[in-house]
Amino acid sequence: MTTLHVVSVSGGKDSTATLLLALDKVPRNQIMAIFCDTGNEIPVTHAYLDILEQHLGITIHRLTADFSTEIMTKRSFVARDRRNRREYRTAPVFDAHGQPAPKRDGRGRIVMRTVKRDGVMVQEPVQKTRKVGGGHRVRWSNKAKRRALAVLHPTGNPFLDLCLWKGRFPSRMTQFCTEELKRNMAVEFQLKLIDQGFSVVSWQGIRRGESPNRRNAKKSERIGPRLWTFRPLVDWTAQQTVDFVRRQACPLNPLYSQGQSRVGCVCINSGKMDLAQIAFRYPEEIARLAEWELQVSDASKRGYSTFMCDSDSRTDGRAIFADLNIHARVRWAKGDNGTMDLFDQLDVPVCASAYGLCE
Ligand code: SF4
């Protein structure tokens, strides 16, 4: 039985290093490089993938998600929505001693739930809650229906179509973009290979130091029948990865030299410096996101959605949109509150990389 080694390439340094390691250890005819195209990448990344293909003499398979069925299903749901239920904000209930009051079912029994505490799964009572305020209708209003039905058409761009379908942009708490645009696509690709009779090793450029979520990442794991993951970089630092790629005389994504700490998508989690860099060098990407914000807002039942910082405790959608839209976020990144103007710092023709990419 042939084993295929599927390497997920994102255009970033970690996945490039992983691909180089795979090419060093595994026969070329057993390697399949894949790139999940989110439709939200800066075009430089696509150009970089072309260069990488030429430099390494390989083909990188582009995978693109399609949400046209989901959008059409949502269209008919919105058009036919006649629900008359109301939704309420809730507040926790405490007993006379200030202790959380437990929720009880119809027979008076305490409702329990399973949660993870310090890495151990435990059972604990669910706290009782009470309704606050008059609530609001769950149903789409006729005005919101008209607005949404005008924009709910597949555009062919996976990121935009995903947000139109969900009626919102992803956020740090609900990061459905990674799952829908990258993970699901890669898994689907690998399952098809397994169905064709191959065993699959999925090479992933994940480092434990990247984020707290990844601090326990295993170097290798069996995921299912004939499917394993292999993460050769788990112990590496970011600088080690960059140094390794450079020692192999392999090009890196030019976005690093432009000061980006993360490359690929224009990310919903971008920090101040990354956002300021994008706005400075690629203003057309900011214009694209501003246009997307209008479209996704129209597809949203509440009438607004912003690319970054989607949640806000206020109820005035217009005020929230005015404060959090992408142009406002760019102003925040520039530091127009008088603290710092990053654009002044950027207006110099030098390498801005944090990894010392300039000689
Ligand atoms: S988390 Fe950021 S990089 Fe990942 S898919 Fe979402 S927007 Fe793109």
Side-chain angles (χ1 to χ4, degrees):
M1 189 189 308
T2 310
T3 300
L4 290 179
H5 297 259
V6 178
V7 185
S8 301
V9 178
S10 68
K13 60 187 185 321
D14 296 331
S15 62
T16 298
T18 305
L19 179 57
L20 289 170
L21 284 169
L23 287 167
D24 187 44
K25 307 261 182 251
V26 177
R28 271 175 185 254
N29 61 357
Q30 291 181 19
I31 295 177
M32 299 195 84
I34 57 170
F35 170 72
C36 299
D37 184 352
T38 67
N40 186 28
E41 285 85 9
I42 297 178
V44 171
T45 295
H46 289 285
Y48 168 68
L49 292 173
D50 295 341
I51 292 169
L52 202 57
E53 281 182 318
Q54 282 173 16
H55 181 81
L56 300 175
I58 56 161
T59 300
I60 299 175
H61 301 268
R62 271 74 165 175
L63 311 181
T64 312
D66 177 10
F67 300 103
S68 42
T69 307
E70 287 82 354
I71 289 179
M72 297 321 282
T73 306
K74 179 171 177 177
R75 261 186 83 76
S76 50
F77 172 79
V78 170
R80 286 191 295 222
D81 186 16
R82 291 193 177 281
R83 292 170 294 171
N84 51 21
R85 183 164 63 81
R86 294 184 81 76
E87 248 174 25
Y88 297 85
R89 283 192 298 123
T90 57
V93 175
F94 296 89
D95 63 19
H97 307 289
Q99 297 299 317
K103 182 178 177 179
R104 294 179 184 275
D105 64 15
R107 294 181 182 173
R109 292 173 303 198
I110 292 176
V111 179
M112 304 296 285
R113 64 174 180 175
T114 307
V115 286
K116 202 171 187 176
R117 298 263 178 251
D118 298 326
V120 182
M121 303 305 285
V122 292
Q123 287 273 308
E124 66 175 32
V126 175
Q127 188 172 2
K128 188 177 174 182
T129 56
R130 63 182 170 81
K131 291 175 185 169
V132 177
H136 63 272
R137 266 192 328 191
V138 169
R139 186 173 85 78
W140 283 70
S141 68
N142 288 337
K143 187 177 167 192
K145 280 184 181 183
R146 284 195 295 275
R147 206 181 51 215
L149 292 174
V151 294
L152 274 174
H153 299 284
T155 65
N157 181 299
F159 198 101
L160 177 57
D161 284 354
L162 173 63
C163 298
L164 288 173
W165 166 40
K166 298 275 185 185
R168 57 166 298 180
F169 286 96
S171 66
R172 210 175 276 261
M173 298 300 287
T174 48
Q175 204 167 289
F176 52 79
C177 45
T178 316
E179 186 174 325
E180 297 281 356
L181 300 169
K182 295 185 174 181
R183 198 193 69 183
N184 290 357
M185 298 306 297
V187 169
E188 209 174 289
F189 182 84
Q190 290 159 11
L191 290 179
K192 274 186 193 155
L193 293 176
I194 290 170
D195 289 345
Q196 289 166 25
F198 297 103
S199 292
V200 171
V201 180
S202 169
W203 289 57
Q204 299 169 356
I206 284 175
R207 290 180 298 102
R208 289 187 187 129
E210 246 177 298
S211 71
N213 284 348
R214 294 183 169 173
R215 67 178 184 275
N216 296 323
K218 291 181 183 163
K219 190 158 188 170
S220 62
E221 251 177 304
R222 182 170 178 268
I223 301 300
R226 289 188 278 139
L227 178 60
W228 293 265
T229 53
F230 180 50
R231 305 179 181 110
L233 308 183
V234 275
D235 299 323
W236 292 29
T237 63
Q239 190 64 53
Q240 270 178 305
T241 311
V242 170
D243 293 344
F244 171 74
V245 176
R246 297 191 76 201
R247 272 201 309 278
Q248 304 283 317
C250 180
L252 277 160
N253 193 321
L255 290 172
Y256 287 120
S257 304
Q258 297 171 6
Q260 295 285 314
S261 60
R262 51 199 308 160
V263 303
C265 266
V266 183
C267 186
I268 51 162
N269 298 322
S270 295
K272 261 189 168 183
M273 186 53 107
D274 281 354
L275 188 57
Q277 291 277 2
I278 292 167
F280 177 71
R281 298 181 193 270
Y282 305 101
E284 66 281 2
E285 298 301 319
I286 300 299
R288 167 175 65 81
L289 292 176
E291 179 56 34
W292 283 11
E293 283 184 331
L294 296 178
Q295 286 176 261
V296 177
S297 293
D298 281 349
S300 153
K301 190 163 66 169
R302 63 184 177 178
Y304 76 92
S305 184
T306 53
F307 182 71
M308 300 175 88
C309 302
D310 192 66
S311 64
D312 191 295
S313 56
R314 291 174 290 172
T315 52
D316 182 349
R318 282 189 193 178
I320 296 170
F321 189 85
D323 288 348
L324 298 180
N325 72 66
I326 190 69
H327 290 303
R329 299 308 290 171
V330 168
R331 284 197 295 278
W332 160 79
K334 282 171 66 177
D336 68 352
N337 56 5
T339 53
M340 174 169 57
D341 191 341
L342 293 172
F343 284 76
D344 288 345
Q345 296 177 20
L346 295 174
D347 198 11
V348 281
V350 295
C351 170
S353 165
Y355 302 112
L357 294 177
C358 283
E359 296 298 343

